[in-house]
Amino acid sequence: MLKTTEVRTTVYHVVTGLMRESNPEAPEPTGGEELNTLGLDSLTLARLIIELEAATGVDPFSEDVVLSDVRCLDDLVDVYERALAARGA
């Protein structure tokens, strides 16, 4: 399981990989981008959540968090960091 300090790197890496599947020249994300501007359709967003759960060992959306409340990439990082912290990572 990842430590909270590694979550940002993991989230950015997974997002960049998914973005580059459809656009090989997609820029590196900076964190403030809204998820809907990253070119991730609903299927890719589902893949993102599955890959992040596999990488982090937590599913923050099985508890109190609603995916539609996550607006930007940094919000997504925060959700996973909080889920890991709650687990005692």
Side-chain angles (χ1 to χ4, degrees), residues 8 11-12 15 30-38 48 67-79:
R8 179 173 303 280
V11 170
Y12 282 38
V15 167
T30 62
E33 302 90 350
E34 291 193 18
L35 292 179
N36 63 352
T37 66
L38 295 175
L48 170 64
L67 182 57
S68 61
D69 291 340
V70 177
R71 299 285 182 219
C72 69
L73 192 54
D74 282 342
D75 290 345
L76 189 62
V77 170
D78 184 54
V79 164

Side-chain angles (χ1 to χ4, degrees), residues 6-28:
E6 300 168 315
V7 172
R8 179 173 303 280
T9 301
T10 300
V11 170
Y12 282 38
H13 176 74
V14 172
V15 167
T16 300
L18 291 172
M19 288 169 47
R20 293 207 171 137
E21 284 182 6
S22 62
N23 179 5
E25 296 182 22
E28 291 285 327

Side-chain angles (χ1 to χ4, degrees), residues 3-4 7 12 25 32 56 58 62 66 74 80 83 88-89:
K3 296 183 180 191
T4 56
V7 172
Y12 282 38
E25 296 182 22
T56 62
V58 296
S62 67
V66 178
D74 282 342
Y80 279 92

